[in-house]
Amino acid sequence: MNAAARTASTAAGATVRSSLAGHGHSSVTAKLFLGYLLFSTVVGLAALVTLLVTILQDGLPYLDSVLLFNAPSANPERAGARPAIVASIMIAAVLMATALPVAIGTAVYLEEFAQRDRWWIRLVELNIQNLAAVPSIIFGILGLAFVVRGLNLGPVLLTGALILGLQMLPTIIIATREALRAVPDSVRQGGMALGATRWQVVWREVIPAAIPGVATGSILGLSRAIGETAPLLMVGAATFVSFNPGLLTQYTVLPILIYQWIKLPQEAFQGLAAAAIIVLLVILVSMNGFAIWLRNRYERRW
Amino acid sequence: MEPTPAKTAEQTTRRGVQLAAPTAQPTSEAPLAEHDVVFECRELGVRYGRNRALRDVNLEIREHGVTALIGPSGCGKSTFLRCLNRMNDLIPSAAVDGTCRYYGEDLYAPSVDAIEVRKRIGMVFQKPNPFPKSIFDNIAFGPRVLGMTSNLADRVEQALRRAALWDEVKDRLRDGALGLSGGQQQRLCIARALAVEPDVLLMDEPCSALDPISTAAIEDLMTTLKSDYTVVIVTHNMQQAARVADQTAFFSVDQGETGRRCGVLIEMSSTDRIFTNPDDPRTEAYVTGRFG
């Protein structure tokens, strides 16, 4: 468009605008609304920045090799979070080995094979939706009754991991189903039209195409479980563990250790708690970052 | 692998029997026309739940020719096409009635395995639907799941050559199939269907998403393919039917006494006759552009 034409069209635009003037009140409303939106955003951001700055100020001086590699101690000079860090990593591993395959299997069955018009399939679907909204402490009570006492496993790391696994099942099932649903039906039809069985199409085409979405959902579910405290308190995670935990030993995890340290009277433990929060944050942010990277890298537009 | 045009009754029956589970008894001999009849439909109809989409289709489709199914939207021609390789089975609410015989054997008999049917009767869809993997893996999918993995590379090359795509992709077989143009993707889908060595190729409006040049390439392909395969094509484009088809069937929508719309077959005949001197006035109205 040349300059003259642009001027002409701007002039025409101005004419139209002036002829439609006289709606001042709507623009005031719009400005008020915009201001409100901006304010909401600032509140959230300000809270986050304040938290981060405080934590970093308090915690950075204590963030050293002692924190990462020592066991907890009554002496803040020598107290570290190693057993808790190890336990958090072990729990993540147990979750990947137990809850993940079960959740993915459930999702594949419900999405690809189940007959939706059966009442019991609908009941299962409804239950999964509801389980995702159950408060985590309820899962703790369930674990206490059925795993700690019912299976008589006691308050050991495996118990805690199983409870967290149960809690993250619905999240991963729902995320996996979303990912499977995003694979267009034309892929399934194309495979079936070649004489492949439904199983072959699902295994060779649909699941591989859905893996990025499944991975993203699973990592987000895992990171939520790592940050979880309430159900573990219920099933008896210990607060003072000075040894590296095993599957069938007592354990504590980072969030519980933080909770414990904050309650102690010495000033130094507050700083240690802040430093442990930084460690936890770094773990969670890098897990979520990895999930986002996976999604952006492999997301497919059909 | 190509079936010879003159086929004996025994061969035909044997071919039909292979569709069924190995223990099935041969069905009664089908009467053979001058050309072998591939599909013979009697009173064929389809319902989706309570809605009838198609009723009373009586027609025969012959071997080694292109049969076009034309008609206005909603006349059931795609639904009919999907009866021929039991793709309607995948829609839970769909129910097929009447009979549809493939080389004399009832496709909907309880002993017939739908998977086996689809191995013989390939299908190409309206929108190109390559798998999100390499060109090679797309073609190799069918042979791999059917266990035809000997000389896989040769098989892939042969299928791509038949679909007139080999020269364009031979240097990038490992590249993703979604990077091909729409027309190339559709020929890839045709190659993918040919790789499992079917007898019949069903095409559901294969050119409706393509530009005129790609369309011409696919039409040329259909004319070459009919020497080896039986081709059935659904098309909205009457010129296309006139260009490629030997036989043409005209479907229309019938708004019966109940007011429910339902697809019916109006007439089927040689393409020449349908376009120049059809028996039914509705066909004439449609092909001359006065309706639909």
Side-chain angles (χ1 to χ4, degrees), chain B residues 50-69:
Chain B
R50 267 190 232 147
N51 295 325
R52 179 162 282 287
L54 189 68
R55 64 173 161 80
D56 301 335
V57 176
N58 292 293
L59 60 74
E60 289 172 359
I61 290 173
R62 288 171 183 179
E63 199 169 47
H64 297 304
V66 177
T67 303
L69 313 176

Side-chain angles (χ1 to χ4, degrees), chain B residues 107-163:
Chain B
L107 279 180
Y108 288 85
S111 62
V112 169
D113 182 1
I115 302 292
E116 201 63 38
V117 171
R118 296 187 203 118
K119 287 182 196 170
R120 308 295 179 76
I121 306 172
M123 188 162 195
V124 174
F125 296 83
Q126 184 169 0
K127 208 170 146 250
N129 59 349
F131 300 132
K133 41 169 69 168
S134 75
I135 294 170
F136 184 92
D137 287 338
N138 260 277
I139 311 291
F141 174 86
R144 278 180 181 145
V145 300
L146 301 182
M148 303 150 77
T149 45
S150 59
N151 303 326
L152 195 58
D154 288 347
R155 225 174 249 284
V156 170
E157 177 176 344
Q158 208 185 13
L160 282 167
R161 280 190 191 282
R162 285 220 185 101

Side-chain angles (χ1 to χ4, degrees), chain A residues 125-187:
Chain A
E125 291 189 332
L126 189 70
N127 261 310
I128 289 171
Q129 300 285 345
N130 285 336
L131 277 181
V134 167
S136 56
I137 192 77
I138 306 289
F139 281 96
I141 297 171
L142 179 87
L144 186 64
F146 288 97
V147 188
V148 178
R149 297 193 184 149
L151 293 179
N152 213 8
L153 275 175
V156 296
L157 187 137
L158 186 63
T159 315
L162 289 180
I163 291 310
L164 288 179
L166 212 56
Q167 194 197 332
M168 64 185 255
L169 269 183
T171 318
I172 301 183
I173 291 173
I174 291 169
T176 305
R177 293 187 67 180
E178 294 288 337
L180 292 170
R181 221 171 295 158
V183 178
D185 219 30
S186 66
V187 167

